[in-house]
Amino acid sequence: MIILIRFIFISHVKAEKRMARKSESVVVSLAGNIDNHQGATAFGVVGAALYASFDKLRCTFYECCKPQTDWIKPNISALRHVLDKNLHGQHLVKEVVPKALKSHFMNHEPTKALVMSFHGWTGGGKNYVSKFIAESIYKLGMKSKYVHMFVSTVHFPHEDKSDIYKLHLQDWIRGNVSKCERSLFIFDEIDKMPLGMINGIKPFIDYHESIDRIDFRKSIFLFLSNTGGPNITQEMLNLWYLKKKREEVSMNDLENLIQLGAFNEQGGLHKSELIKHSLVDHYVPFLPLERTHIKLCVKDELHRRGIAPTDDIISKVAEDMSYYPANIKLFSKTGCKRVAQKVGYILANEEYDSIFGLD
């Protein structure tokens, strides 16, 4: 009996020891898992810190869209200065564009993307102003990977491929804004864009907080067009006959005229959903340039070439331009667009005459 009791006691002790060892093993395993988890967490924290440091370092040398870097830093004061210095005869542009951009950038939660439509005769400065806008926002200006320039006759040349272009354009805008919400899209020669194609960007400039989890509201869209140019020129001619000073012409005199012209004239904005739904924020008129403005452009071009301007050269270039209407020759038909070529031609002739003693 005693032996039996002893056997039972020893068996019970052994069982308890086995349970204790098993419990200890479980505890050690749990402790190991906890340590591993803490190690993984610590590694994750360190990894995240290293990535953040690398990302910051990368942004020091390569363009990125981080708000705390200098790659995207809107400077409206600089834009005003460069417009005052380089853009001639366009007081309405100087008034509207900086204010529109300032309002857009000051609003950290804009209701929609900023859309400005530039209208007027060729040579009035539409591309010039687009370039200045890019340079006032992005450190690399037009070379920034966040500035996207489309020229209709180059990128969308075939009328029958409008639907294909539309899909590609949507993908391009969606993909680039997903990388940087402060993207700038410039559409040149929009009047030559296939009919209806521009409607493809309507969702991105409408009043949506996001589309497919992408916020387009901080982007900027610029439309450049000759549409409305004849209407603007005719209205300016009418006001000139009424002896209204150029600087007294206001947006109220021209904005509705441009909107109607853009909607009704054949071209990319003809009967467009963008105009129907009032998604263009500002119609900006570029006025036809007069002889005095051409002379200022000639002066700028001579300075750019490092040549001291003379009244003789300035007058020769201005006289060599074509003007409208024929009876009073008030407005340059090509604005300042051909000034650089005219200056180069006259300088080349003068140098030739000087070399061969023909002057």
Side-chain angles (χ1 to χ4, degrees):
M1 184 69 178
I2 293 173
I3 295 172
L4 180 61
I5 292 172
R6 187 179 177 185
F7 174 78
I8 293 171
F9 175 76
I10 292 171
S11 297
H12 179 70
V13 170
K14 287 182 178 180
E16 282 189 340
K17 285 182 179 180
R18 283 197 300 271
M19 289 293 293
R21 283 196 298 269
K22 189 173 182 180
S23 297
E24 185 180 13
S25 177
V26 170
V27 170
V28 170
S29 178
L30 286 172
N33 287 339
I34 290 171
D35 287 342
N36 288 338
H37 177 69
Q38 289 176 338
T41 303
F43 180 78
V45 171
V46 172
L50 286 172
Y51 178 79
S53 298
F54 171 77
D55 200 38
K56 187 175 181 180
L57 183 64
R58 181 179 62 84
C59 287
T60 303
F61 300 101
Y62 299 99
E63 187 181 26
C64 64
C65 196
K66 302 288 183 183
Q68 63 269 29
T69 65
D70 290 332
W71 295 106
I72 302 177
K73 205 168 185 178
N75 190 335
I76 305 305
S77 296
L79 176 62
R80 290 183 192 277
H81 175 73
V82 77
L83 290 178
D84 284 338
K85 184 180 179 181
N86 297 286
L87 187 69
H88 307 301
Q90 304 296 356
H91 67 285
L92 295 177
V93 177
K94 295 177 184 179
E95 174 190 334
V96 175
V97 172
K99 286 181 181 178
L101 288 167
K102 184 177 181 179
S103 174
H104 182 69
F105 285 117
M106 285 180 63
N107 190 349
H108 298 295
E109 290 292 332
T111 55
K112 64 182 289 297
L114 174 63
V115 182
M116 291 191 284
S117 192
F118 297 169
H119 297 263
W121 263 3
T122 184
K126 298 184 291 293
N127 277 286
Y128 216 32
V129 173
S130 301
K131 172 178 170 287
F132 292 147
I133 290 173
E135 290 173 347
S136 72
I137 300 172
Y138 305 94
K139 187 176 182 179
L140 297 181
M142 291 295 292
K143 294 180 180 179
S144 169
K145 62 184 178 181
Y146 307 123
V147 176
H148 311 280
M149 179 85 168
F150 301 95
V151 181
S152 294
T153 51
V154 175
H155 296 99
F156 320 117
H158 304 294
E159 190 79 30
D160 58 342
K161 294 184 178 180
S162 175
D163 291 337
I164 296 173
Y165 294 149
K166 189 186 298 184
L167 292 174
H168 288 171
L169 182 60
Q170 288 176 335
D171 288 341
W172 181 262
I173 293 173
R174 189 183 293 110
N176 281 284
V177 176
S178 68
K179 296 174 185 175
C180 184
E181 59 187 6
R182 290 290 187 193
S183 293
L184 171 64
F185 299 93
I186 304 171
F187 294 87
D188 192 14
E189 299 183 341
I190 199 168
D191 48 309
K192 297 179 178 65
M193 184 180 285
L195 197 64
M197 183 192 153
I198 196 64
N199 292 333
I201 74 167
K202 178 182 177 292
F204 309 131
I205 63 173
D206 212 332
Y207 293 85
H208 302 300
E209 286 191 8
S210 65
I211 299 174
D212 296 332
R213 296 189 297 276
I214 302 172
D215 188 353
F216 296 89
R217 296 174 297 169
K218 293 182 180 179
S219 301
I220 299 173
F221 292 79
L222 303 180
F223 302 150
L224 281 56
S225 171
N226 292 338
T227 305
N231 293 342
I232 295 170
T233 301
Q234 186 58 52
E235 184 62 21
M236 288 298 294
L237 187 59
N238 294 340
L239 294 172
W240 183 83
Y241 279 124
L242 293 172
K243 301 192 182 302
K244 185 169 185 175
K245 292 181 180 179
R246 184 185 182 96
E247 292 73 21
E248 294 175 355
V249 176
S250 70
M251 288 296 294
N252 290 334
D253 293 316
L254 299 172
E255 192 168 24
N256 289 335
L257 189 72
I258 298 170
Q259 184 175 349
L260 287 172
F263 187 74
N264 291 317
E265 284 185 34
Q266 288 298 319
L269 289 172
H270 181 68
K271 308 290 184 185
S272 77
E273 295 293 315
L274 281 58
I275 298 177
K276 280 183 183 178
H277 295 273
S278 301
L279 297 178
V280 177
D281 301 300
H282 303 279
Y283 294 92
V284 185
F286 282 70
L287 309 182
L289 299 181
E290 300 175 17
R291 194 178 299 264
T292 54
H293 308 122
I294 301 304
K295 289 184 176 182
L296 291 171
C297 289
V298 175
K299 193 175 180 180
D300 289 345
E301 179 60 22
L302 290 169
H303 280 306
R304 190 185 69 80
R305 292 170 181 254
I307 298 171
T310 65
D311 291 339
D312 182 51
I313 294 177
I314 291 173
S315 295
K316 279 182 179 179
V317 175
E319 290 300 321
D320 204 30
M321 304 291 283
S322 298
Y323 293 90
Y324 171 88
N327 58 332
I328 57 175
K329 297 185 176 182
L330 181 61
F331 302 126
S332 168
K333 289 183 178 179
T334 56
C336 284
K337 195 165 191 175
R338 299 179 63 198
V339 163
Q341 289 82 355
K342 295 285 187 182
V343 168
Y345 179 79
I346 289 173
L347 289 176
N349 279 349
E350 289 196 351
E351 185 175 348
Y352 179 88
D353 292 346
S354 175
I355 290 172
F356 292 97
L358 300 176
D359 52 350

